[in-house]
Amino acid sequence: MLNRKLIQGLVFKRRGHCSPSGLTSLLALLLTLLPVGLWGQDPEFLVSRSPVGRPGGRLVVSLRAEPKTLLPLNALDASSKEIQGLLHADLIHIHRPSQETRSALAQQWSRSRDGMRYTLRLRRGLKFSDGQPLTVADVLFTFQVLLDEAVKAPGRDLLRVEGKFPTLRAVGEDSVEVALPAPYAPAERLFDSIAILPRHKLEAAYRSGKILEKWTMGAAASEIAGTGPFRLKEYLPGQRMVFERNPHYWKRDSAGVRLPYLNEVVMIFSPNPEAELLRFRAGESHLHSRLTARGYSSLSGLPPQERPMLQDLGPGLEQHFLFFNQNDLTGSGMSALLAKRSWLQDVRFRRAISLAIDRAGIARLVFQGKASVLSSHVSPGNRLWFSGASSLPARSVEEARRQLKAMGLILKGDVLVDPSGSPVSFTIAMNAANSEQRQMAAIIQEDLRGLGITVALAPLEFRSLIDRVLNTKDYEAAILALRDGDVDPTAQMPMLLSNGRMHFWRPNQAQPATEWEAEIDRLMKRQISDGNEKRRKENYAQVQRIISRELPFLALVSPHVLIAAHRNLRNVQPSVLAPHLIDGLDEMYWAAENNKP
Amino acid sequence: MPATQTSERVPGWVSVVLSRSLQAAVTLGLLSFCSFALFEWIPGDFLTETAASPAVSPETLAGLRDRYGLDTPLGIRYASWLEGLTRGQLGPSLSYHRDAMGLLLPRLGATVLLNLTALLVALVVALPLAIFAAQNPESRFAGWVGRGMQASLALPELVLVLALFAVAQAYGVPMPGGAAAPADESWLGGLYSLLTGLATPAIALAAGTAPSYFGHMRAAWSEALAESYVIAARQAGLPPKVVRWRYLFPAAANPMVSLLGGSLGGILSASLLVETVTGWPGLGPLLLEAVFSRDVYVVVGAVMFAASAQMAGNLAADLVILRMDPRIRS
Amino acid sequence: MSEAILVAQGLERRYRRACALDGVSVSISAGESLAIVGESGCGKSTLLRCLAGLERADAGSVHFGGAEVSPLRGEDRKRFCRSVQLVLQDATRALNPWWSGLTLVREPLDLLRRDLSMPERETVARCWMDRVGLPASVVERLPGELSGGQRQRLLLARAMTLSPSVLLLDEPLAGLDPPIQAAILELLKGLRSERPLATVLVTHSLGAAAQGAERIVVMRSGRLVEQQTMTAFLAGPQDPYSREILAGWQARQANFVKSPPIKSSGSAH
Amino acid sequence: MTRPAWRLQAVSALAIWYALLAGFAWMAPYSWREQHREFASAPPTAIRFVDPTGVWRMPFVCSLAPAPDSPGSYREDCAVRHDVWLFGRAQDGRMVVLCPEQPGVLFLFGTDELGRDIFSRSLAGGLVTFATGVVATLVALFLAFLGGSLAGLLGGWPDLLISRGTELLMALPALYLLLALRAALPIQTPPLLAFALAVALISLLGWARPARLLRGVVMSSRGEGYVLAARGFGAGPVYLLRKHIFPRLRGVLGAQAAVLLPQFMLVEVALSFLGLGVAEPLPSWGTMLSSIQYDLVADRRSWLGFPAILLTASILISGRVARAMELRSQPAGGAPRETTP
């Protein structure tokens, strides 16, 4: 019910590789030429490619949790990040629907031949929401604060390349040059979601070492300035946040109307999904990006004149998987675990389990069919990197039995026993707050009962679970979910590299414990510095093949992203990348007068 | 004699308050320390989840750990918390980056509002029915009301919330819990959204407490009806209205007042679960979130507020009894 | 005068602010009958409880048969309990409302005469119930089903089962009708004539005291103001307060010439 | 009706209620863990008496098949009938209350997402919930009796210590103790044991309120004349407790047991709502209720509320017992009156 998405926190920062598309550059070029004479003082607008809409109106969106901070430097939780997208803007933005990078505050950018230096030119005439101009100094200030070791901003490490940080300097009046410490294929994606901060508001606090205490949720609206489509108007703790249109926003539509269209956006907080759904259905909120399959089918059952716009975007980047404890436990004193090690850490055992699990059943029963069965750790929702190279062997209990028999695990009556005669049984730990994972576990439990394996389930509170998996390593098997923030494989590095902290099954290895882990290390390191996209994809496909052969974790399913929007809303651009709907708020508009609250 | 009684009573009253406050302070001190110590014991801390995010390096983690003071020994943290308390601070909320006091106060307001509303609803429903039932014990309607009250007592709050949700969805009644966005800027719109948000949790809470008010009031009223001075007053031919308000009501009010004193103590803790389930923006959801995210100062602060209210309520109830019961007074 | 068996010396007892006993010394000799008289709240009941060893004085001491009472433990304490019995004020509350008459009377024996077998204890208890004039039906009745006089008799019977040498009676007549009061006093007199029994009768009614005691002690706000034989007291008290209460009583006596000599209920204060 | 008779009736109603629950759980049509994956989220099966031609027959169910177009909806085909037997033998040889002829299925209250029979699970879940309530009540009452009578009898600093201690316990949020407990237990701890420990922990915290109540009763008993009188006969604290105070407490304890039982059953429900209830696949009313929350809003599947009805009924009966027990704390002859006849 609460924190139903355990994946909170396992949000991987988006990184990726993509050069500006030809079209974008052409458009940007046109735009630099066009507006100078036409609008005089007006900024060098980014022109929206969406249909022209009508201004006005108020939109209500419900957030699952209350944002924790208004300061982008502090934003760790999903809600704060969503709010950040309304209030602030970045230099280069990942366009969520296409998963590609696009120009934002930086009007254009170029890459040096060695791939180590990027030059970004700012749009002319940019202004913060309080009317103050945005200059190169603000950009430099933002990065200075972000990279300052003394500030300890949690987002700092996102900029780390090969252990070192990039350096910035001003080039001329309107450009900055970013020097990377090493070649980095997806460098443009680094800039996404780095909000450019107003120096005039924050510099004093930064100098006195108190910048992280600024812009808390209690801060006055007048204190906050940004370059996002909206600005803060009012905050009622625990109830709602009200945003008004930023009159200095830097986008316009093709008819010349300055965006955003909406006058006001209200964020309400619905910690429980029931109230969220009830509100949406009652028309009290207008966007719903976390629909469950049941919610989806209940909305689609409404009469046509009441039915909202509904879309099944297919599998998202979220995936659930089962894995077994592969840590070297010698000398750990966990005797119960040590006794099971011989089969628990055998790849044939994992294969047998994988063969016996009814993944299609999970997708059908737990997600009412609104989920896709996974064959590797790359979800089909990842359009750029899903290779389809690995295929899942068909479910076969007989084959699973054969595998187990080959390992020396034999059926005695109804019970599978190991060579020492003790029954084969293990405990699956999962997030207690995630009812979907509890149901998955119940299905797996029933499936494995057919093999004679007794599975116990231990729902744990989320932080206790993570503590067990990553620190104390006192567990046998666990179900976790990952939700990648970005599609680029670089996001997977901490999980795939054998010395990674997120190498769930055996984290922080000094030396790769197995040959195949060493091979993955090599492939992943090779792809990151490679500018050639085709070779990167080949390398990554190889990694996917190794994973599905060795099964360090059993990928189960990837739920579909189901969204709903009010039927009179236009320019709704949903994406499988989070946030699924509100990234395009600046272009959304109300089609009919009567739905303009 | 009355003169000596009052001069005796005031110091007695003061001394009770003083000694109970002292005991309460000791209890609160212990409670806060226990809460801190428990948090130390639970696996995982505020940064466990951050640590699981690959974006954050070990050095940054160490820096954050230092910034939040997570590695400081318990004793020192507790001492500095106490020191902050003297300045009216409850310690920093780790996830909200601000003092827990500023975070808790608006939620306290919401929780108090909900509980007072629920109390009002319960009283408005229960008292007239109780008086009716006491006056007409033989009536069929009174019997059904009594049975209904028993059923309402047996209906768990959570089940009631579920039922209300189901009704709301089946008939399209706009009454999900929690605070909604007002449809327009006018005060009427604000009030409407407030009431629709309050409805579910307040009804759920009131349904649980109304039966006890009903039972006590009915018993007190029928007892008062049997008092000889009431019978005398009625025989003397006083109008029923006068008898009701001048004789019966004061006599029946006594037990009600002490019951109310007791329920005021729970004003910050009685509704936590209902708030969480219905999404009312009170202490409940915040406390749960803080527990799950190990936001220790917020939890300790919330616990302190709830416990203080509880103790103050107990004390108030005792004082009321002390004042009203002549036997204890003398 | 025979030897003093129960002696209190300089007793002081304080509750919060109020002082209940303020340097009281009194001695009770074997077989004598003493009345303690005074208005409500003067410390009579506290004195009685101290004498019975139920309350500890803040200062001063109580001696029984030469030994101090408060440090007594085990067998010695039991012996003291057997010898000195207190009949509590308010017979309604002094009886466990869930117990039958017989069990109630048997209780002291159950506690202090383990040497007797159960049938023996029951015989003793029945015998005493009979002696105090309770009908046989009381054996199975609960206190709530008895009359006030019956309850008082039950209390007496229960105290007497142990054959004590001192019987301390705290307002035994309060709340009873005059004929029953007289009957209880008669019963006491009868008991005393049968055995060596010292009785201490605490009362606020001078009439009862005059009827039931040979010696009188007058108390006022925790102090003894007069200690006299009854005859000497009736002839002419020393203390002005004693004179006052005697005069009050005599005046009332004159008003009700025809009524029985002991007229008490509730007019002394 | 006389009081003892009414009391007896209330207590036996409770006993009969749970005996029925246990009996039906024993003879439930399906096992609580059996997943009919082909019949997930099925609505209640109708027991019919009239076939499509309008002829009255022995009770039967129609053959059920998933509708091909939409998941979760099913089509009845009444051309194929399966008789239903009262007390028939199931496939596994068990005696069950209502037994459809093979291969017919009979889900009296439908199935859950995994295709498990809600009727069978509600019955078994009731036993789990009831058992946790009973365990917690017994532990809490024992502690309350100990603490309350010690505080009330001894007075002085033990009383102060226990009174403040109970206040502390009442103010302590039990929630994070529970988080700590499950997290601290070895992973191999059987789910039911882990849950029982959690419940025991709740009762460790839940004894505070009844202890305060019992302390009050002991205190007032201690001041009673008959206790003072017994002390005059040289009675020690153990005797007083056993002979004079405990009989008075017995009624209070009984009433408290009847009050605490539903309370602790509700704690189980609350725990489940927070995701800390008994682990799957073991059913309990709490876990069943918490999982239907969303469905009630999303779908109109009101039959999922069956466990809620059972839970409410249980609490209703417990409330009756509590009131019957309270009467017991008054002596049978009625309270003694002050006036003499």
Side-chain angles (χ1 to χ4, degrees):
Chain A
M1 173 187 65
L2 308 147
N3 294 341
R4 199 161 251 168
K5 300 282 177 257
L6 115 137
I7 337 83
Q8 5 106 306
L10 303 189
V11 175
F12 285 176
K13 180 61 182 141
R14 44 190 79 96
R15 285 178 179 181
H17 162 85
C18 202
S19 55
S21 71
L23 188 66
T24 326
S25 329
L26 191 69
L27 228 111
L29 190 70
L30 269 170
L31 284 173
T32 47
L33 297 175
L34 255 173
V36 182
L38 285 175
W39 285 285
Q41 279 303 88
D42 268 350
E44 214 172 344
F45 278 111
L46 173 70
V47 180
S48 156
R49 293 182 222 172
S50 309
V52 176
R54 44 200 300 282
R58 177 163 172 272
L59 186 83
V60 183
V61 186
S62 71
L63 290 181
R64 184 54 61 80
E66 201 168 340
K68 305 285 181 283
T69 178
L70 295 169
L71 187 70
L73 292 171
N74 265 338
L76 279 171
D77 59 296
S79 298
S80 301
K81 285 179 181 163
E82 283 180 34
I83 291 292
Q84 190 192 316
L86 256 66
L87 292 175
H88 302 283
D90 38 21
L91 291 168
I92 299 172
H93 194 65
I94 297 175
H95 181 240
R96 299 298 192 269
S98 67
Q99 305 181 354
E100 286 167 357
T101 50
R102 291 207 182 156
S103 154
L105 293 177
Q107 199 268 339
Q108 54 171 272
W109 67 90
S110 60
R111 185 167 69 169
S112 69
R113 202 165 282 277
D114 59 358
M116 306 256 293
R117 271 197 314 282
Y118 281 76
T119 310
L120 294 84
R121 191 177 76 68
L122 293 180
R123 291 177 190 284
R124 271 194 298 278
L126 286 172
K127 278 179 185 164
F128 283 106
S129 53
D130 59 352
Q132 293 287 320
L134 184 152
T135 64
V136 171
D138 291 299
V139 177
L140 293 179
F141 171 73
T142 302
F143 280 88
Q144 185 186 3
V145 175
L146 189 60
L147 296 174
D148 189 338
E149 203 178 354
V151 171
K152 291 169 188 145
R156 174 170 174 253
D157 294 303
L158 299 174
L159 292 173
R160 202 187 282 265
V161 175
E162 302 263 301
K164 296 197 203 76
F165 293 99
T167 51
L168 278 85
R169 69 183 180 88
V171 179
E173 255 184 28
D174 59 355
S175 298
V176 283
E177 187 192 78
V178 182
L180 297 173
Y184 190 65
E188 287 152 19
R189 297 178 95 90
L190 280 179
F191 295 99
D192 179 80
S193 295
I194 294 181
I196 301 305
L197 303 171
R199 194 169 72 141
H200 62 281
K201 290 278 186 195
L202 295 170
E203 187 161 30
Y206 171 59
R207 298 275 169 243
S208 58
K210 296 203 161 146
I211 188 160
L212 293 187
E213 290 158 35
K214 294 286 283 181
W215 290 9
T216 64
M217 294 306 288
S222 62
E223 256 189 73
I224 294 152
T227 45
F230 296 92
R231 61 186 184 190
L232 185 63
K233 186 177 171 197
E234 187 191 14
Y235 164 58
L236 287 151
Q239 300 181 29
R240 61 177 177 271
M241 295 182 87
V242 183
F243 300 89
E244 62 184 356
R245 186 174 176 275
N246 173 8
H248 306 287
Y249 193 51
W250 41 269
K251 267 194 207 177
R252 67 167 175 79
D253 64 14
S254 45
V257 179
R258 200 193 272 252
L259 298 178
Y261 295 120
L262 296 166
N263 277 336
E264 208 169 79
V265 171
V266 182
M267 297 270 179
I268 54 175
F269 314 129
S270 292
N272 53 340
E274 295 79 22
E276 192 178 15
L277 182 63
L278 272 179
R279 271 188 208 299
F280 180 79
R281 192 152 50 185
E284 288 181 29
S285 77
H286 306 127
L287 293 176
H288 198 318
S289 57
R290 287 168 296 264
L291 266 180
T292 61
R294 281 203 187 287
Y296 187 88
S297 66
S298 97
L299 288 178
S300 59
L302 289 174
Q305 68 275 14
E306 286 175 37
R307 198 182 302 150
M309 182 206 121
L310 281 164
Q311 225 170 309
D312 178 353
L313 301 179
L317 298 188
E318 176 185 328
Q319 47 180 295
H320 298 265
F321 54 89
L322 169 76
F323 61 100
F324 296 89
N325 189 345
Q326 303 294 317
N327 289 288
D328 179 19
L329 299 162
T330 25
S332 66
M334 290 180 259
S335 50
L337 255 168
L338 282 169
K340 296 175 181 176
R341 188 172 50 171
S342 62
W343 47 266
L344 208 55
Q345 301 191 347
D346 192 320
V347 63
R348 288 171 295 177
F349 185 71
R350 299 197 291 271
R351 274 183 205 141
I353 302 294
S354 182
L355 281 166
I357 292 177
D358 182 7
R359 286 181 175 81
I362 291 176
R364 186 168 55 86
L365 300 173
V366 181
F367 297 96
Q368 281 80 49
K370 301 282 183 203
S372 297
V373 168
L374 288 178
S375 57
S376 84
H377 67 284
V378 183
S379 157
N382 186 340
R383 296 192 200 140
L384 300 179
W385 295 92
F386 177 69
S387 72
S390 47
S391 62
L392 195 68
R395 179 178 184 228
S396 161
V397 178
E398 286 71 39
E399 181 57 31
R401 285 215 183 91
R402 260 196 297 282
Q403 293 265 4
L404 292 172
K405 204 169 183 181
M407 284 173 68
L409 305 177
I410 43 169
L411 266 176
K412 218 177 221 175
D414 282 345
V415 184
L416 193 71
V417 292
D418 67 4
S420 73
S422 40
V424 175
S425 70
F426 61 91
T427 305
I428 301 179
M430 87 265 350
N431 181 7
N434 190 319
S435 61
E436 284 153 1
Q437 288 182 356
R438 292 210 309 263
Q439 289 186 342
M440 281 180 222
I443 290 179
I444 293 172
Q445 183 182 43
E446 199 62 15
D447 287 338
L448 297 192
R449 202 155 69 105
L451 295 180
I453 301 173
T454 309
V455 176
L457 307 182
L460 295 176
E461 184 263 340
F462 186 64
R463 267 163 220 249
S464 316
L465 174 64
I466 293 295
D467 192 58
R468 261 180 202 276
V469 170
L470 295 183
N471 298 337
T472 64
K473 297 168 176 108
D474 180 13
Y475 72 101
E476 293 171 345
I479 294 180
L480 277 180
L482 274 178
R483 182 202 276 159
D484 299 345
D486 192 19
V487 290
D488 196 88
T490 321
Q492 309 273 10
M493 296 279 275
M495 183 181 82
L496 292 175
L497 295 187
S498 61
N499 60 1
R501 274 182 308 120
M502 296 293 286
H503 198 68
F504 290 107
W505 58 96
R506 190 172 182 174
N508 300 322
Q509 299 172 30
Q511 292 294 320
T514 59
E515 183 43 46
W516 57 268
E517 281 174 305
E519 174 70 13
I520 291 179
D521 285 3
R522 272 194 299 278
L523 288 165
M524 286 308 288
K525 279 181 183 145
R526 196 180 302 156
Q527 65 86 19
I528 195 167
S529 49
D530 200 330
N532 183 320
E533 198 166 326
K534 197 164 169 239
R535 277 201 303 276
R536 284 188 77 199
K537 284 196 173 170
E538 268 166 24
N539 283 333
Y540 197 50
Q542 180 60 22
V543 171
Q544 290 176 50
R545 269 192 292 274
I546 296 176
I547 297 275
S548 20
R549 191 184 70 224
E550 299 297 335
L551 292 172
F553 49 85
L554 279 51
L556 301 171
V557 294
S558 185
H560 291 185
V561 178
L562 307 170
I563 58 101
H566 195 282
R567 63 191 173 283
N568 288 343
L569 269 178
R570 296 292 179 272
N571 273 356
V572 179
Q573 299 167 51
S575 60
V576 291
L577 283 187
H580 309 295
L581 282 169
I582 65 169
D583 200 51
L585 267 188
D586 53 356
E587 294 179 354
M588 254 178 237
Y589 68 94
W590 285 107
E593 191 75 32
N594 59 351
N595 278 104
K596 205 168 74 181
Chain B
M1 202 157 135
T4 57
Q5 218 177 40
T6 41
S7 66
E8 281 282 323
R9 196 180 75 223
V10 172
W13 180 83
V14 170
S15 78
V16 167
V17 171
L18 278 181
S19 72
R20 287 285 290 271
S21 309
L22 196 73
Q23 288 175 4
V26 174
T27 311
L28 286 179
L30 267 172
L31 183 65
S32 54
F33 187 78
C34 288
S35 309
F36 270 103
L38 272 173
F39 253 83
E40 204 77 345
W41 187 50
I42 306 179
D45 59 25
F46 178 68
L47 288 174
T48 305
E49 217 179 292
T50 316
S53 156
V56 184
S57 70
E59 301 92 79
T60 310
L61 268 183
L64 286 171
R65 212 162 262 290
D66 183 46
R67 181 177 141 202
Y68 294 134
L70 293 180
D71 291 331
T72 325
L74 180 64
I76 296 175
R77 263 194 294 160
Y78 185 63
S80 71
W81 180 78
L82 282 180
E83 192 264 331
L85 208 58
T86 58
R87 284 179 283 113
Q89 293 181 342
L90 283 175
S93 156
L94 305 182
S95 43
Y96 285 86
H97 310 279
R98 58 187 293 207
D99 191 74
M101 187 68 96
L103 198 63
L104 286 169
L105 283 180
R107 269 77 167 186
L108 286 179
T111 298
V112 169
L113 174 70
L114 170 63
N115 279 290
L116 287 183
T117 311
L119 188 67
L120 194 72
V121 171
L123 288 179
V124 164
V125 171
L127 296 192
L129 285 175
I131 292 174
F132 176 82
Q135 300 251 18
N136 313 287
E138 302 300 322
S139 98
R140 189 172 283 221
F141 177 69
W144 281 111
V145 168
R147 254 162 259 155
M149 285 289 171
Q150 280 170 31
S152 164
L153 187 67
L155 202 63
E157 286 165 352
L158 293 174
V159 170
L160 192 57
V161 169
L162 287 186
L164 288 173
F165 271 159
V167 168
Q169 87 86 24
Y171 296 101
V173 187
M175 52 188 274
D184 56 65
E185 294 289 305
S186 73
W187 66 270
L188 210 65
L191 187 70
Y192 175 76
S193 84
L194 182 72
L195 288 182
T196 53
L198 259 177
T200 309
I203 291 174
L205 285 174
T209 51
S212 102
Y213 293 125
F214 174 81
H216 279 85
M217 189 66 181
R218 185 176 57 179
W221 196 269
S222 16
E223 247 170 55
L225 274 174
E227 291 285 351
S228 39
Y229 65 90
V230 173
I231 296 171
R234 291 168 88 179
Q235 269 173 343
L238 284 177
K241 214 171 179 180
V242 176
V243 174
R244 192 173 306 147
W245 296 115
R246 297 286 298 277
Y247 289 80
L248 286 166
F249 201 76
N254 279 11
M256 286 312 293
V257 171
S258 60
L259 193 67
L260 278 179
S263 57
L264 282 182
I267 202 157
L268 293 183
S269 46
S271 58
L272 297 188
L273 195 67
V274 169
E275 285 176 16
T276 307
V277 177
T278 58
W280 179 252
L283 268 187
L286 183 74
L287 180 62
L288 193 73
E289 184 198 298
V291 167
F292 279 138
S293 66
R294 308 284 190 275
D295 201 346
V296 57
Y297 294 103
V298 175
V299 175
V300 176
V303 169
M304 288 290 102
F305 272 118
S308 320
Q310 185 77 54
M311 288 173 194
N314 284 353
L315 179 61
D318 287 0
L319 284 179
V320 166
I321 292 171
L322 194 71
R323 223 190 107 71
M324 300 227 296
D325 196 330
R327 283 169 301 177
I328 301 174
R329 203 195 306 173
S330 59
Chain C
M1 205 164 100
S2 57
E3 42 150 358
I5 45 171
L6 190 59
V7 182
Q9 259 174 341
L11 289 183
E12 279 179 31
R13 186 81 174 91
R14 249 165 257 282
Y15 297 114
R16 276 212 190 149
R17 251 173 238 90
C19 180
L21 290 181
D22 190 2
V24 173
S25 298
V26 69
S27 76
I28 292 127
S29 315
E32 78 160 331
S33 62
L34 174 73
I36 303 177
V37 179
E39 64 181 28
S40 300
C42 71
K44 297 170 298 188
S45 295
T46 312
L47 174 62
L48 220 54
R49 287 185 191 188
C50 286
L51 285 174
L54 282 179
E55 247 179 72
R56 250 181 115 147
D58 299 323
S61 64
V62 177
H63 283 80
F64 175 72
E68 193 172 345
V69 170
S70 53
L72 289 180
R73 292 286 176 271
E75 276 307 308
D76 297 333
R77 174 90 195 173
K78 281 189 174 173
R79 205 169 303 125
F80 168 77
C81 286
R82 276 205 291 269
S83 307
V84 178
Q85 271 303 311
L86 173 68
V87 173
L88 280 164
Q89 191 177 8
D90 191 0
T92 342
R93 298 187 54 206
L95 295 170
N96 191 330
W98 282 273
W99 288 12
S100 69
L102 183 65
T103 327
L104 283 167
V105 176
R106 216 185 56 213
E107 187 183 16
L109 295 170
D110 290 344
L111 274 160
L112 294 171
R113 296 299 300 273
R114 296 279 175 77
D115 49 322
L116 298 179
S117 70
M118 184 58 85
E120 281 172 331
R121 283 182 232 163
E122 288 203 349
T123 316
V124 174
R126 277 174 202 273
C127 189
W128 273 106
M129 288 170 81
D130 192 40
R131 172 67 190 82
V132 299
L134 285 170
S137 63
V138 172
V139 164
E140 279 164 12
R141 294 247 188 97
L142 295 177
E145 298 160 337
L146 301 179
S147 74
Q150 284 175 324
R151 283 202 286 262
Q152 200 62 53
R153 282 170 202 267
L154 207 62
L155 279 181
L156 265 179
R158 153 151 112 141
M160 289 310 293
T161 49
L162 293 168
S163 310
S165 48
V166 180
L167 194 58
L168 306 166
L169 299 130
D170 193 356
E171 302 275 12
L173 309 177
L176 299 182
D177 292 341
I180 299 170
Q181 291 188 355
I184 299 275
L185 282 177
E186 273 310 309
L187 176 61
L188 267 179
K189 214 174 251 178
L191 288 175
R192 256 175 4 95
S193 66
E194 287 165 16
R195 68 206 67 240
L197 174 69
T199 56
V200 178
L201 178 68
V202 159
T203 177
H204 57 254
S205 146
L206 209 50
Q211 270 237 321
E214 295 150 357
R215 204 153 68 85
I216 186 163
V217 165
V218 180
M219 279 186 80
R220 189 185 192 187
S221 12
R223 287 169 188 276
L224 286 195
V225 294
E226 176 120 25
Q227 209 171 147
Q228 280 280 13
T229 60
M230 189 53 86
T231 38
F233 178 82
L234 290 175
Q238 310 281 306
D239 187 78
Y241 175 67
S242 308
R243 270 201 295 276
E244 202 180 298
I245 57 172
L246 182 64
W249 176 60
Q250 278 165 342
R252 253 171 289 136
Q253 283 284 46
N255 282 347
F256 298 92
V257 210
K258 295 249 168 84
S259 59
I262 355 103
K263 174 75 194 170
S264 77
S265 43
S267 47
H269 41 257
Chain D
M1 200 189 314
T2 59
R3 268 172 182 160
W6 195 71
R7 186 192 311 154
L8 196 70
Q9 203 197 36
V11 175
S12 55
L14 191 68
I16 290 172
W17 171 251
Y18 285 109
L20 270 180
L21 215 62
F24 277 106
W26 183 252
M27 296 187 294
Y30 300 98
S31 140
W32 44 268
R33 65 182 305 162
E34 190 177 347
Q35 298 175 357
H36 306 266
R37 290 188 189 166
E38 67 282 18
F39 293 117
S41 304
T45 316
I47 299 181
R48 298 179 189 280
F49 296 90
V50 185
D51 72 9
T53 57
V55 180
W56 279 80
R57 295 183 171 276
M58 291 293 285
F60 65 93
V61 290
C62 302
S63 159
L64 202 66
D69 40 342
S70 55
S73 54
Y74 297 87
R75 240 196 345 243
E76 274 188 324
D77 177 12
C78 283
V80 186
R81 291 188 309 270
H82 306 286
D83 287 344
V84 174
W85 300 103
L86 206 59
F87 297 107
R89 279 204 187 277
Q91 222 168 3
D92 54 4
R94 276 184 322 131
M95 183 71 115
V96 298
V97 237
L98 280 174
C99 184
E101 194 181 37
Q102 293 300 330
V105 285
L106 172 53
F107 306 117
L108 269 184
F109 286 91
T111 60
D112 65 7
E113 276 101 338
L114 303 187
R116 297 175 296 198
D117 180 34
I118 288 177
F119 178 64
S120 308
R121 275 177 78 74
S122 299
L123 296 171
L127 293 184
V128 172
T129 300
F130 178 62
T132 59
V134 167
V135 169
T137 305
L138 288 180
V139 175
L141 275 189
F142 177 71
L143 290 174
F145 174 66
L146 223 60
S149 48
L150 273 180
L153 264 189
L154 300 178
W157 64 263
D159 178 31
L160 193 76
L161 207 71
I162 292 174
S163 296
R164 296 311 120 199
T166 49
E167 217 159 61
L168 191 79
L169 283 181
M170 276 157 71
L172 203 68
L175 191 67
Y176 47 75
L177 269 180
L178 293 171
L179 296 185
L181 183 89
R182 188 58 187 95
L185 285 175
I187 196 86
Q188 291 89 359
T189 314
L192 203 55
L193 179 64
F195 183 67
L197 283 173
V199 171
L201 190 76
I202 296 179
S203 53
L204 283 182
L205 297 167
W207 66 274
R209 212 170 281 276
R212 286 170 81 82
L213 192 75
L214 291 175
R215 170 184 168 272
V217 176
V218 172
M219 281 283 213
S220 72
S221 312
R222 201 171 61 135
E224 290 285 354
Y226 54 87
V227 174
L228 202 65
R231 278 174 61 207
F233 307 135
V238 176
Y239 173 86
L240 290 180
L241 195 64
R242 196 164 54 93
K243 286 288 209 179
H244 285 292
I245 297 175
F246 186 65
R248 255 192 91 176
L249 289 186
R250 219 162 33 195
V252 182
L253 279 173
Q256 277 298 302
V259 169
L260 287 176
L261 178 66
Q263 258 182 29
F264 284 135
M265 283 164 67
L266 286 181
V267 166
E268 190 272 326
V269 175
L271 272 185
S272 306
F273 264 81
L274 302 178
L276 296 167
V278 61
E280 291 273 4
L282 216 59
S284 81
W285 286 342
T287 48
M288 294 182 74
L289 282 180
S290 65
S291 68
I292 65 166
Q293 200 180 4
Y294 193 84
D295 294 338
L296 276 184
V297 174
D299 308 342
R300 303 186 177 186
R301 302 198 295 160
S302 50
W303 64 85
L304 290 171
F306 179 55
I309 295 168
L310 290 182
L311 177 65
T312 309
S314 306
I315 294 171
L316 203 62
I317 296 175
S318 294
R320 238 174 118 81
V321 175
R323 269 174 298 125
M325 286 295 188
E326 257 155 35
L327 295 177
R328 199 192 162 122
S329 47
Q330 291 158 12
R337 293 249 151 197
E338 294 290 334
T339 47
T340 40

